[in-house]
Amino acid sequence: MIKAPVRKIIPHSLVDGPGNRTAIFLQGCNIRCAYCHNPETQEMCTESSPTEEIKWMTAEEVFKEVERDIPFIRGITVSGGECTLYPEFLVELFTLGQKAGLSCLIDSNGTIDLSKYPELIEVCSGVMLDVKAWDNEKFNKLTGGNNRNVLKNLKFLSDLDKLEEIRIVCIPDEVDAEDILKGIKSTIGEKISYTNLKLIKFRNHGVIGRLKEAESPSDEYMNYLKELALELGFKKVKIT
Amino acid sequence: MTDILGLVKSQKLTYEQKVLSLAQAAENTLDVLHIPEKTQYYFEKNAIDNLFEGNAPYRPRYILPDYDKFIKEGSEFLQIEPPKDLDELLNALMILYRHVPSITSFPIYLGNLDKMIAPFLDGYTDEEIKKKLKLFLNYIDRTITDSFCHANLGPEDTRAGRLILEVERELQNAVPNFTFKYDPDITSDEIAELALYTTMFCANPAICNHKLNKDTYTTDYGIASCYNILPIGGGAYTLARVVLPNAAKLAKDVDHFFDTILPECLEALANYMNERIRFLVEESGFFESSFLVKEGLIHKDRFIGMYGIVGLADCTNILMKDEGKRYGHDKEADDLADRIMHTIHEFLSEFPALYSPISNNRFLLHAQVGMDYDIGITAGVRIPIGDEPENMSDHLRHSARFHKLIPTGCSDIFAMETTARNNPSAMLDIVKGAFDLGVKYIAFYEENGDLVRITGYLVKRSEIEKYKKGEQVLQNTTHLGAPNYDNNKLQNRKVRGV
């Protein structure tokens, strides 16, 4: 079995998707967000250079830990870093999860083209997708990466009804939240009415990147975005 | 001897608290119960404990009147006609509550409130009902000044239940305790989540595993006082307890504990409880004179003796000291604890209890949750505070194993992180899993809330602070909660959820 670098397993997570879930955090990310709040998971690592914090584990080994939390959980969520950097591992883990009746979610920055991994999409119950910016320049400035695949995944996952949730981290000026909301609507159309939208208020807790001293947006701004989303036709909007 | 003049002069006690303490002091001047020498010895060692029930029982410890009958028929003694609308109902209940005796002299069971109220709601708006409920609930909180008082909700999803939950969240009262009877086959996820959401603001309601508790008696059951599962139209004559760690301290070794000390304690306490029941039923005149009996709101044949145990964890750890194994963490320790439980269970299944047909003339085991004077004694069969397993799953599996042999109430309490407010469905998943495995009862509260569950009852942290400064506080239970909060290091209770 393939091994993946596991940074942390949280047996009972109340914040990684619907219901109570075991959350698995994989090490390594392919972008560098200026507002990343767990930058310790960014660095890629190899099996030959082991560290104390990271354990290379097979899907079976991870699932053994997950099993302890059945029947208290309704599913698992794999996050990161960027967990879609390890698609084969995810396929194996989710296959075990599905067999045990657990819903299996991916928490992703969307920069890996998921249409190339039909096997993964088959066993994955849904993806919680970050849309960090709509304009590619903004995206690049914020993350160092390119958002072409994010937009492609948005459409691809929505068409398959595997878009569990869309997330936007909100910081005025840095993030073109209004454009994101409008862009999502023009991409997935009617489906916004039943797609979960989470508007995340930026907080600089844990941030070491460029935005480490940036201020959180006001509640008024967050409510303004929520109102805008509702006007556009989103129905399931949450501010966190 | 109680310092009676001290009670009279106290500035810390309210007038009402003085009257109750003086009444107990008077009762304790009597000596009417026959207590053998050996029993006296175990009382002195505090290996068995009568929980200050008083020397001359003149009312059952816990009474659960048949409120449905009262609502249907009214009361001749109280000169109350059957209520015809919501105002009349709430008023009638307020009057009856005043006349339900108990060990605390306050009613310890207020009924399945949502079901009682539901038929009276037609024609009122939500706002009108909430206003009436607030007045009713505040009256209860300010006059029943003891939080060993319990109201029930569920298992059905009703408008009344939802409105009570909404009102509770606003009021932040310590009295009454609420318990929601939960059964996934009957209760909707929506109201279960609303109940759990509410508990994250006001530490109420706790959640009872309806499926596992509903067939405890041939009659319907209620949750009363501090999580006691008791028959409606009856209750409990008495509750006394074996203080397991104190029994263990008297034993030379494990064999001595199982062969001599434990059996002697079990027998001494059981005989003592029968002696209390005998006096109450045969001599006190309660069942001959109470209007509750005459009007059929309670029945003598629906009372039981609650046989309490406390400190299974500490007892096990004492017996395992040489091996260094711990209850809740090591298999050997848990297996030993299991052996203790089965020994107690076997004893109780043989020992005849007086006047207890509803429990087949047997005492029923209860996980007693502790007293304010307990130090180093963990509630019932719980894992000691501060020593809880890292993973909540392990904790709950352990609970399920040890709840199994306890029919009249056992529970676990979890302090939750504030973030759980955003995801009550996650808490419901935990409840579903736990109940599926056999956990009988579970309570949550939010880590920073003012209302905190001590061992089962609720106390406000702000009131504890007042009491510590020597000020008068409204509720008796703050007197118990203040030392308990410190003695049991409740601030160290493991906070769950990420």
Side-chain angles (χ1 to χ4, degrees):
Chain A
M1 272 185 139
I2 295 150
K3 287 187 175 183
V6 177
R7 176 83 196 193
K8 191 164 152 194
I9 297 177
I10 296 179
H12 298 268
S13 169
L14 312 179
V15 296
D16 291 286
N20 190 35
R21 319 183 69 82
T22 298
I24 299 129
F25 295 84
L26 302 185
Q27 179 72 22
C29 192
N30 55 342
I31 55 176
R32 292 289 177 270
C33 297
Y35 55 50
C36 181
H37 65 95
N38 45 3
E40 72 284 355
T41 62
Q42 285 178 352
E43 212 51 49
M44 301 297 282
C45 61
T46 58
E47 226 181 317
S48 55
S49 58
T51 69
E52 259 179 46
E53 294 86 14
I54 296 150
K55 232 170 131 184
W56 285 82
M57 297 169 83
T58 64
E60 223 164 59
E61 286 165 344
V62 170
F63 198 70
K64 247 204 180 96
E65 302 237 343
V66 171
E67 271 179 327
R68 282 170 68 191
D69 302 315
I70 301 172
F72 308 104
I73 53 170
R74 74 171 70 169
I76 58 175
T77 298
V78 188
S79 183
E82 175 50 41
C83 69
T84 60
L85 295 171
Y86 311 95
E88 294 87 355
F89 169 84
L90 290 180
V91 170
E92 290 179 355
L93 180 63
F94 285 2
T95 304
L96 294 169
Q98 296 282 4
K99 246 188 236 162
L102 297 175
S103 73
C104 301
L105 297 179
I106 286 173
D107 175 2
S108 171
N109 66 29
T111 53
I112 305 289
D113 181 357
L114 293 173
S115 66
K116 289 187 180 150
Y117 303 99
E119 253 188 284
L120 174 58
I121 295 306
E122 181 66 35
V123 290
C124 160
S125 316
V127 177
M128 298 189 283
L129 184 73
D130 285 354
V131 182
K132 295 170 189 289
W134 197 257
D135 174 71
N136 194 36
E137 247 174 64
K138 285 227 174 226
F139 188 89
N140 182 264
K141 187 177 164 217
L142 197 61
T143 69
N146 184 304
N147 78 346
R148 192 187 54 225
N149 282 338
V150 181
L151 306 188
K152 191 175 169 194
N153 282 328
L154 180 67
K155 175 96 173 70
F156 170 71
L157 293 168
S158 174
D159 285 348
L160 293 174
D161 277 327
K162 295 245 175 177
L163 195 54
E164 171 63 32
E165 179 177 276
I166 298 169
R167 295 155 159 196
I168 306 170
V169 178
C170 305
I171 318 178
D173 302 331
E174 287 290 335
V175 174
D176 51 352
E178 290 106 323
D179 288 349
I180 297 176
L181 292 172
K182 288 174 195 155
I184 292 169
K185 184 181 181 177
S186 67
T187 308
I188 71 172
E190 288 302 302
K191 290 190 174 179
I192 57 172
S193 67
Y194 60 82
T195 302
N196 294 311
L197 174 69
K198 196 180 267 181
L199 300 170
I200 301 169
K201 187 173 175 170
F202 165 77
R203 293 172 184 87
N204 61 19
H205 179 75
V207 175
I208 57 170
R210 175 170 60 83
L211 294 172
K212 67 180 175 215
E213 283 177 1
E215 282 179 22
S216 296
S218 65
D219 288 340
E220 290 74 36
Y221 178 71
M222 296 305 295
N223 285 327
Y224 153 74
L225 289 180
K226 183 177 175 179
E227 284 306 313
L228 177 65
L230 292 171
E231 265 170 43
L232 287 168
F234 286 95
K235 291 212 167 80
K236 297 160 105 179
V237 188
K238 267 192 187 170
I239 297 175
T240 66
Chain B
M1 271 303 275
T2 314
D3 173 12
I4 293 181
L5 189 60
L7 289 177
V8 168
K9 289 184 174 178
S10 167
Q11 300 199 12
K12 230 176 169 181
L13 298 174
T14 64
Y15 169 73
E16 190 181 37
Q17 287 156 2
K18 283 186 189 182
V19 172
L20 292 171
S21 302
L22 289 169
Q24 197 182 34
E27 183 192 343
N28 287 344
T29 59
L30 299 176
D31 186 11
V32 295
L33 300 177
H34 172 68
I35 302 173
E37 216 168 288
K38 187 124 227 180
T39 307
Q40 200 57 50
Y41 166 78
Y42 282 117
F43 272 129
E44 276 160 23
K45 294 288 173 195
N46 197 24
I48 57 174
D49 181 1
N50 65 12
L51 301 171
F52 291 103
E53 265 192 1
N55 287 358
Y58 57 99
R59 74 302 203 200
R61 182 183 179 96
Y62 299 133
I63 293 177
L64 290 75
D66 183 344
Y67 290 111
D68 292 341
K69 186 178 165 73
F70 170 73
I71 293 168
K72 215 158 51 186
E73 298 173 8
S75 163
E76 200 187 318
F77 182 75
L78 297 175
Q79 301 162 50
I80 293 175
E81 295 290 315
K84 292 181 290 297
D85 62 32
L86 186 56
D87 288 330
E88 287 186 16
L89 171 76
L90 298 178
N91 185 251
L93 289 172
M94 281 154 66
I95 293 169
L96 177 56
Y97 291 155
R98 185 70 187 70
H99 299 280
V100 179
S102 81
I103 187 67
T104 65
S105 289
F106 295 102
I108 49 75
Y109 176 70
L110 304 182
N112 223 99
L113 275 185
D114 54 351
K115 283 195 192 175
M116 284 153 57
I117 290 170
F120 295 87
L121 298 188
D122 287 351
Y124 294 107
T125 66
D126 284 2
E127 283 316 307
E128 285 166 343
I129 296 165
K130 280 167 74 174
K131 166 123 197 242
K132 291 176 198 296
L133 286 175
K134 275 184 196 170
L135 292 172
F136 172 70
L137 290 168
N138 276 340
Y139 171 82
I140 289 170
D141 182 63
R142 310 300 194 274
T143 59
I144 299 176
T145 51
D146 183 294
S147 36
F148 293 116
C149 168
H150 223 115
N152 297 179
L153 301 171
E156 291 83 4
D157 182 345
T158 59
R159 180 182 175 212
R162 286 176 187 242
L163 292 174
I164 290 171
L165 289 170
E166 276 179 40
V167 167
E168 264 299 288
R169 180 153 57 93
E170 289 175 37
L171 292 179
Q172 299 280 318
N173 286 342
V175 182
N177 276 303
F178 274 92
T179 289
F180 197 101
K181 295 172 172 176
Y182 175 73
D183 179 343
D185 295 339
I186 302 171
T187 314
S188 73
D189 279 1
E190 289 74 30
I191 196 159
E193 286 177 20
L194 179 64
L196 289 162
Y197 179 73
T198 306
T199 204
M200 289 300 291
F201 290 87
C202 57
N204 259 327
I207 313 291
C208 170
N209 189 337
H210 181 64
K211 245 185 207 169
L212 281 190
N213 286 296
K214 71 178 167 44
D215 297 324
T216 308
Y217 308 102
T218 47
T219 58
D220 196 8
Y221 78 105
I223 298 113
S225 184
C226 209
Y227 305 161
N228 307 318
I229 308 286
L230 291 168
I232 302 284
Y237 294 117
T238 181
L239 163 64
R241 61 177 188 169
V242 180
V243 185
L244 292 166
N246 292 344
K249 282 177 196 159
L250 298 175
K252 288 192 290 260
D253 53 35
V254 173
D255 287 342
H256 187 221
F257 177 78
F258 278 105
D259 296 343
T260 308
I261 301 291
L262 184 60
E264 284 186 5
C265 286
L266 291 172
E267 181 134 4
L269 188 74
N271 282 320
Y272 171 77
M273 286 171 61
N274 266 344
E275 176 64 1
R276 290 192 72 87
I277 295 172
R278 184 198 61 75
F279 184 86
L280 177 60
V281 174
E282 295 177 1
E283 297 196 41
S284 77
F286 174 83
F287 288 101
E288 287 73 32
S289 59
S290 167
F291 81 96
L292 295 169
V293 180
K294 287 182 184 158
E295 298 192 0
L297 299 179
I298 57 173
H299 308 269
K300 192 168 76 178
D301 57 6
R302 292 195 198 167
F303 282 83
I304 65 153
M306 294 173 66
Y307 197 100
I309 52 164
V310 69
L312 179 67
D314 320 289
C315 171
T316 305
N317 292 348
I318 289 169
L319 296 174
M320 281 261 137
K321 202 168 65 200
D322 292 343
E323 286 85 350
K325 308 283 186 194
R326 269 148 69 225
Y327 181 75
H329 296 272
D330 299 300
K331 187 180 176 300
E332 294 90 331
D334 287 343
D335 287 348
L336 181 76
D338 210 37
R339 191 178 152 205
I340 296 170
M341 289 300 294
H342 277 91
T343 306
I344 298 168
H345 176 73
E346 273 158 34
F347 169 80
L348 291 178
S349 60
E350 299 289 326
F351 191 93
L354 287 179
Y355 301 112
S356 307
I358 190 112
S359 54
N360 297 317
N361 297 307
R362 294 290 177 268
F363 292 123
L364 294 186
L365 193 56
H366 173 71
Q368 203 273 332
V369 286
M371 294 295 277
D372 53 318
Y373 51 84
D374 286 345
I375 294 175
I377 300 170
T378 305
V381 297
R382 288 182 200 154
I383 296 170
I385 286 167
D387 199 30
E388 299 96 335
E390 198 50 45
N391 186 337
M392 194 178 185
S393 304
D394 297 334
H395 194 160
L396 288 166
R397 275 180 216 285
H398 187 274
S399 301
R401 179 177 183 188
F402 286 95
H403 282 199
K404 204 163 32 193
L405 293 177
I406 304 173
T408 66
C410 57
S411 58
D412 271 289
I413 301 177
F414 294 96
M416 298 297 286
E417 282 189 355
T418 318
T419 48
R421 282 179 179 169
N422 299 328
N423 196 355
S425 69
M427 288 169 70
L428 184 57
D429 285 349
I430 293 170
V431 169
K432 283 179 180 174
F435 283 6
D436 211 31
L437 291 181
V439 169
K440 288 187 171 162
Y441 195 99
I442 193 167
F444 301 100
Y445 64 91
E446 189 265 322
E447 54 172 332
N448 301 315
D450 190 29
L451 281 162
V452 58
R453 270 197 196 276
I454 301 296
T455 52
Y457 58 98
L458 289 172
V459 172
K460 289 188 171 181
R461 282 189 241 247
S462 50
E463 289 280 294
I464 290 180
E465 287 313 312
K466 258 170 62 182
Y467 181 70
K468 281 186 182 165
K469 282 188 222 144
E471 293 174 35
Q472 289 190 351
V473 289
L474 183 62
Q475 268 138 10
N476 304 341
T477 24
T478 306
H479 303 186
L480 306 179
N484 200 317
Y485 190 85
D486 294 337
N487 291 345
N488 283 316
K489 304 183 178 63
L490 287 200
Q491 73 281 8
N492 296 339
R493 197 177 258 151
K494 194 166 181 62
V495 177
R496 300 296 187 175
V498 169

